[in-house]
Amino acid sequence: MEADLARVDMVAELIDARIPISSRNPDIDVLVGKKPRLVVLNRAGQADSDANAAWTDYFQGQGMAVLETDSKTGRGVDRFAAAARSLLREQLARWQAKGQVGRPVRAMVVGVPNVGKSTFINRLARRRSAKAEDRPGVTRGKQWVVVDAGLALLDTPGILWPRFENERVGLHLAYTGAVKDDVMDVEGLACQLMSDLAAHYPETLEERYRLRIPPREEGQAAAAFGYGLLEAAAQGRGMRARGGEADTQRMARVLLDELRSGKLGRLTLEFPGERMQ
Ligand SMILES: Nc1nc2c(ncn2[C@@H]2O[C@H](COP(=O)(O)OP(=O)(O)OP(=O)(O)O)[C@@H](O)[C@H]2O)c(=O)[nH]1
Ligand SMILES: [Mg+2]
């Protein structure tokens, strides 16, 4: 990333609007340094709109340029070129003064796996130049995509940092699909997700899976509490394993798929000012 930075004019930092804390590389400020940066809150259509507004305020308050986008529908993506020009206005004026009129802006697109970097680039370019699929680790190498005479974007492979700050960050990245499922215990993950949804979006959970959330027992672990909910959801959907017991394995898959595909509705799991523990 550092070598590529020298070759670009700006960085577009794509973050997942549902998990704006966990989906940011903790070293990004140091890595990007003084290079102009635009924070792109992607997947905004999957996140809570009030939370999106709060995050936009938050980043602007930190002096950063922000754009809310949904690369799947294209919403907000067309504002990128203007936002980039505004971010680079001093640079563009310098180029003009040197007679470098029409020099294209080069932007590097970075972010965690599966956040939507390639889809975002394809939207901007209005064609499928970069391979994009519904799983992490699709983009393997770097690729320049020329949007038009004035803009070129560098697609990069998604990056996960070697150590997560804490367990919650790892869970949130896993829920949203930034981490490959085959390296995880999907049932355990779904139990944690159930417990988080019960805390943040109880009505959604109760309606969608036709269950009642019981009060969490004193000292009960999130995983155990979530397991009870997963079992209830499996029962509600008539999912039974061989022995007749609730098929929590299958329900775990379904829960994660429904979160990722948006069937659970718009939800945000992290809020400005919150401390991740
Ligand atoms: N709902 C929704 N889906 C999105 C959005 N952006 C991307 N996607 C979907 O998310 C999946 C991953 O998109 P990619 O563009 O391949 O993600 P990436 O960041 O390039 O992923 P890697 O190359 O693996 O790092 C695709 O199925 C996209 O259609 C978005 O804003 N909203
Ligand atoms: Mg990609």
Side-chain angles (χ1 to χ4, degrees), residues 38-251:
L38 180 66
V39 169
V40 180
L41 268 179
N42 193 43
R43 294 184 176 273
Q46 287 182 295
D48 197 312
S49 56
D50 291 345
N52 290 342
W55 277 112
T56 295
D57 281 355
Y58 170 84
F59 286 116
Q60 282 173 346
Q62 308 263 306
M64 280 190 257
V66 199
L67 199 62
E68 275 180 39
T69 60
D70 195 279
S71 300
K72 192 143 193 170
T73 61
R75 222 196 85 223
V77 175
D78 53 355
R79 297 207 313 270
F80 178 82
R85 273 198 303 278
S86 155
L87 183 71
L88 294 172
R89 59 189 171 276
E90 286 170 17
Q91 177 74 281
L92 293 171
R94 275 200 295 276
W95 288 353
Q96 193 157 26
K98 285 197 270 177
Q100 298 175 334
V101 193
R103 175 173 166 176
V105 166
R106 287 169 307 175
M108 173 160 136
V109 180
V110 301
V112 292
N114 209 39
V115 65
K117 299 175 293 299
S118 302
T119 307
F120 174 77
I121 290 170
N122 289 342
R123 272 279 162 197
L124 264 173
R126 295 173 201 272
R127 60 191 144 84
R128 293 192 179 202
S129 296
K131 193 168 140 192
E133 274 174 43
D134 194 7
R135 59 183 170 85
V138 172
T139 304
R140 302 264 174 179
K142 290 168 284 187
Q143 182 191 351
W144 278 103
V145 175
V146 174
V147 171
D148 55 36
L151 180 64
L153 298 166
L154 182 61
D155 192 12
T156 64
I159 298 177
L160 280 180
W161 22 107
R163 247 173 332 107
F164 296 134
E165 197 181 323
N166 59 42
E167 194 199 357
R168 236 180 111 218
V169 170
L171 285 171
H172 287 188
L173 286 165
Y175 297 160
T176 50
V179 181
K180 286 194 175 90
D181 282 339
D182 47 11
V183 299
M184 279 175 317
D185 159 21
V186 171
E187 190 182 37
L189 186 65
C191 291
Q192 296 283 347
L193 174 57
M194 274 292 189
S195 166
D196 280 343
L197 291 173
H200 291 292
Y201 294 95
E203 285 107 13
T204 305
L205 202 56
E206 292 194 325
E207 270 167 39
R208 174 123 199 125
Y209 301 112
R210 303 220 167 84
L211 52 85
R212 282 259 139 258
I213 301 171
R216 186 160 156 187
E217 284 162 36
E218 185 86 23
Q220 189 180 26
F225 179 61
Y227 184 78
L229 295 170
L230 196 63
E231 228 175 0
Q235 270 153 4
R237 295 251 171 129
M239 292 179 187
R240 276 182 216 296
R242 284 261 172 85
E245 73 277 15
D247 191 348
T248 47
Q249 288 282 349
R250 193 169 143 216
M251 188 59 224

